[in-house]
Amino acid sequence: MKNKELIVVIPVYNEQDIIATVIKKWTKLLSDLDINYELRIYNDGSKDNTLEVLYDLESKYSEVKIFDKANSGHGPTILKGYKDSLDAEWIFQIDSDDEIDVTYFPELWNKRIKYDFLIGRRINRNTPKIRKLISLISRLSITMFYGSKVYDVNCPYRLMRVSAVKSFIPKIPDNTLAPNLIIAGMVSKKNLAVFQTEVRFKFRTTGEVSIKRLKLIKFSIKSFWQTIAFRL
């Protein structure tokens, strides 16, 4: 059986109100682009009716595959998705909250031939100051320890050529809280061909932010150490 041209990795946690809309948007777009694809949806131990909604969608769309798992957090969940998908030609990661629209994807896909790593750069993010500070520290940390080819180092809108990243993704520990930081860093370190484009950030109207203020600070400190430790 021929390997998939594209696998889309989507982590989901408590998104019963929006996930059906997100999946329908992506299946329509990717089918319209005539891509041999699969949507791999990882339910990270949702406590609402997300899983029931997902199984219903899986029964309706042959390209949708649902993976139910115990809660481990956003980072370990997407990392599992990446490691499960290294037999594809390309991996694309998007979050389940519909904060970045599908409309930016065709540009990335159409430019993929010349690049190994194509990523969004979020604009108009009216986020709390603590999150802005953490984003700044993340970018500076990656620049200091890995290099500066990627600006929005943790953006969850990234298209990766598997042959370019499969040498280091399997080496990232399964419990890594922010694997996207490490991947952005390794892209710089290995001097991969990078394309970046502005993507407009929409504010979520459903669900909830899974990491609150104090937990976010603790999470960030640990993820910084993990990111630096991987490089060293």
Side-chain angles (χ1 to χ4, degrees), residues 25-26 29 92 94 98-106 157 199-202:
K25 283 183 180 181
W26 281 103
L29 175 71
F92 181 69
I94 183 67
D98 202 32
E99 290 182 343
I100 305 177
D101 200 65
V102 302
T103 52
Y104 302 103
F105 181 79
Y157 204 92
V199 294
R200 190 165 293 276
F201 184 83
K202 298 185 297 182

Side-chain angles (χ1 to χ4, degrees), residues 100-117:
I100 305 177
D101 200 65
V102 302
T103 52
Y104 302 103
F105 181 79
E107 179 185 16
L108 302 186
W109 187 249
N110 291 335
K111 291 182 178 293
R112 73 191 186 283
I113 301 302
K114 295 182 179 180
Y115 300 96
D116 301 308
F117 187 81

Side-chain angles (χ1 to χ4, degrees), residues 212-230:
K212 306 303 182 182
R213 185 182 179 90
L214 181 58
K215 186 178 178 181
L216 177 62
I217 294 172
K218 294 179 179 178
F219 169 95
S220 300
I221 292 172
K222 185 173 181 179
S223 67
F224 292 152
W225 279 116
Q226 289 179 332
T227 301
I228 294 168
F230 185 86

Side-chain angles (χ1 to χ4, degrees), residues 98-195:
D98 202 32
E99 290 182 343
I100 305 177
D101 200 65
V102 302
T103 52
Y104 302 103
F105 181 79
E107 179 185 16
L108 302 186
W109 187 249
N110 291 335
K111 291 182 178 293
R112 73 191 186 283
I113 301 302
K114 295 182 179 180
Y115 300 96
D116 301 308
F117 187 81
L118 303 93
I119 187 169
R121 176 177 174 176
R122 291 167 288 185
I123 59 175
N124 73 298
R125 292 185 72 196
N126 187 21
T127 54
K129 291 182 180 179
I130 183 64
R131 286 184 175 267
K132 290 182 179 179
L133 177 61
I134 289 171
S135 294
L136 174 61
I137 294 173
S138 297
R139 185 165 65 252
L140 293 176
S141 299
I142 294 299
T143 298
M144 180 180 301
F145 288 95
Y146 291 88
S148 59
K149 295 199 71 172
V150 180
Y151 182 84
D152 193 349
V153 292
N154 204 30
C155 182
Y157 204 92
R158 52 183 61 203
L159 178 64
M160 304 180 287
R161 185 190 299 275
V162 170
S163 61
V165 300
K166 69 185 307 180
S167 65
F168 58 83
I169 282 182
K171 298 177 183 178
I172 302 175
D174 291 342
N175 66 345
T176 300
L177 297 179
N180 277 346
L181 292 182
I182 292 176
I183 292 171
M186 291 301 294
V187 164
S188 294
K189 180 178 180 293
K190 289 183 171 294
N191 197 31
L192 300 183
V194 175
F195 174 78

Side-chain angles (χ1 to χ4, degrees), residues 59-75:
S59 70
K60 296 176 180 177
Y61 296 92
S62 61
E63 302 87 359
V64 173
K65 303 299 178 186
I66 306 303
F67 300 85
D68 185 34
K69 56 183 287 296
N71 180 263
S72 62
H74 181 273

